[in-house]
Amino acid sequence: MLSNPSAHPSIPRLSTASKRSRTNSTEVRLSMIAEDGVPPPPKTQNRPFSQRWNIGDPPPHSYENSPPKYSPWAATGPKGEKLWEVRNNKHVASRGGWKRICLVGVVVTAVLAALIVGLVVGLNKKKKTSADAPETVPSNSSSPSSPSTTFSFPAGSYTFTTYLDTVATNCTSVSADWQCAPYHTYSDSPTLALARYQWIIVDSGSPSSPNLTISSSNNPFNVEFANASLALVDPDSSSERYRFTAHFNKVVVPSPGIYCYFNNTVVEGNLYTKRAKVEPASASDSSTASAAQPTATKDAASNIFEEWKYAVQTTHFIGGGSTVPECFHMNNGVRGERVSDGIKQQAPEDMCRCVYQNYDL
């Protein structure tokens, strides 16, 4: 059923001419968009620095010349301010500005300076360590087990200056059979009692586990021993010392043509490291004592030894027995009959001694 047209508001109707005019206008506009509305090309990645970072105006261009190279570091402000565009750049401003940039520069400079100083100090320490490296002990033919090696105290070659202090002859019934060079005690004459020993100390271990041995070299007292163990006694005390014990065959000539042998005589040494020694002035002035003893330094290969700077004591001793001593007639180096006249056996606890030291004299 159709509704009554009179019941609704009237709707204006377009005439045929009006519809045609609107259609033509729309086509013209669409045609213009199709011709002039070409979408812009994508932005290139090689855009000028000023356009990518929005710093200042682009440099002026000329159709005759290529555009000049642009640098924000050379740009000036309206009043000629240097680095104006960099200082007013939003990226610089958002990250603390010039103060932060200067702080970073200071930190980088300090780090570089510290590295240079550390390198210089390290090289100097390395050179100093090489210069202070311990020297090498040359080998000595008189000490079979003393090869060249790097050493530290007490390893080395030393002269031990002592004085004959005590003589005891209880091991023999004939006191003249036991004698102690240089045949004068300190109480008799400090000058004539002077006795120097030359010994070589070798460390065949390591700094954490030393293995010290001591050997004799040529000396006028004929006390020969090799590779005796050297032990530290009373460490870190005023009586700290190195002690050794060895054996040698002592020979005494009590009268011309008679040689007495005290075989297996003990030699004991105490080498102090802190106790002071005594050096009598009269002993140093003796030309006789100096001529009988070698001089001292450190080169064992050339028979020169360093002077031991501290106190030292060495003792030669043996107890009585059936073969103490054994005396023989000697003719042109050939051993003859044994001498028994007046010699009686003594008890083992009866000791013969030669005590040498350079303190408590």
Side-chain angles (χ1 to χ4, degrees):
M1 180 179 178
L2 298 173
S3 60
N4 189 0
S6 62
H8 299 278
S10 61
I11 300 173
R13 297 189 178 184
L14 298 175
S15 63
T16 303
S18 297
K19 291 180 179 180
R20 184 180 297 109
S21 175
R22 178 174 294 182
T23 300
N24 293 336
S25 176
T26 301
E27 291 177 355
V28 171
R29 288 197 302 272
L30 291 176
S31 175
M32 293 175 62
I33 292 174
E35 292 177 1
D36 301 330
V38 179
K43 296 182 179 180
T44 177
Q45 296 298 324
N46 298 324
R47 299 169 62 205
F49 188 82
S50 61
Q51 294 182 11
R52 282 189 288 141
W53 295 97
N54 298 321
I55 299 179
D57 297 328
H61 297 279
S62 172
Y63 67 90
E64 296 179 352
N65 302 317
S66 300
K69 293 183 178 180
Y70 177 74
S71 172
W73 310 104
T76 58
K79 297 181 180 182
E81 305 96 319
K82 298 293 184 180
L83 302 177
W84 179 82
E85 293 183 358
V86 176
R87 287 184 294 174
N88 291 276
N89 181 263
K90 63 180 181 179
H91 296 282
V92 175
S94 64
R95 288 169 172 78
W98 281 102
K99 292 182 179 180
R100 185 168 183 177
I101 292 177
C102 292
L103 180 61
V104 171
V106 170
V107 171
V108 172
T109 303
V111 171
L112 292 175
L115 291 175
I116 294 173
V117 172
L119 181 61
V120 172
V121 172
L123 291 175
N124 289 338
K125 286 185 176 180
K126 185 175 181 181
K127 291 180 180 178
K128 184 177 180 181
T129 302
S130 300
D132 296 341
E135 56 188 303
T136 300
V137 178
S139 60
N140 191 333
S141 58
S142 64
S143 179
S145 64
S146 57
S148 296
T149 179
T150 300
F151 68 86
S152 59
F153 183 84
S157 301
Y158 300 95
T159 291
F160 299 87
T161 300
T162 66
Y163 304 87
L164 179 60
D165 181 70
T166 304
V167 178
T169 62
N170 298 331
C171 68
T172 177
S173 58
V174 181
S175 59
D177 291 347
W178 177 269
Q179 298 180 16
C180 303
Y183 316 111
H184 295 275
T185 63
Y186 185 84
S187 60
D188 297 334
S189 171
T191 300
L192 298 178
L194 178 64
R196 289 192 179 102
Y197 295 92
Q198 293 181 332
W199 294 333
I200 302 169
I201 300 174
V202 174
D203 185 358
S204 59
S206 63
S208 60
S209 180
N211 182 24
L212 296 170
T213 59
I214 186 169
S215 302
S216 65
S217 64
N218 295 329
N219 63 78
F221 303 111
N222 226 10
V223 180
E224 298 181 357
F225 60 92
N227 304 323
S229 297
L230 199 63
L232 183 63
V233 180
D234 296 334
D236 301 323
S237 69
S238 59
S239 61
E240 179 183 86
R241 62 196 182 277
Y242 288 94
R243 174 181 291 172
F244 71 91
T245 300
H247 296 83
F248 72 104
N249 295 327
K250 182 178 176 67
V251 181
V252 177
V253 183
S255 60
I258 297 179
Y259 282 67
C260 293
Y261 298 88
F262 294 82
N263 296 325
N264 213 28
T265 298
V266 178
V267 54
E268 181 182 83
N270 288 281
L271 316 179
Y272 291 87
T273 60
K274 297 180 180 179
R275 189 170 186 171
K277 67 177 182 178
V278 175
E279 184 68 34
S282 58
S284 61
D285 296 336
S286 171
S287 60
T288 303
S290 299
Q293 307 292 339
T295 56
T297 188
K298 201 169 191 176
D299 188 358
S302 59
N303 291 328
I304 304 180
F305 293 72
E306 181 181 5
E307 182 74 20
W308 185 264
K309 299 178 181 180
Y310 307 97
V312 60
Q313 181 189 64
T314 179
T315 304
H316 312 161
F317 62 91
I318 190 172
S322 59
T323 58
V324 180
E326 289 183 310
C327 298
F328 298 88
H329 291 281
M330 194 71 66
N331 186 13
N332 295 326
V334 178
R335 182 182 295 183
E337 295 181 355
R338 181 170 181 175
V339 177
S340 58
D341 295 344
I343 298 178
K344 296 180 181 180
Q345 180 177 338
Q346 304 298 310
E349 59 270 17
D350 294 331
M351 308 297 293
C352 290
R353 295 180 184 274
C354 300
V355 180
Y356 302 85
Q357 61 190 45
N358 59 5
Y359 64 93
D360 293 345
L361 297 170

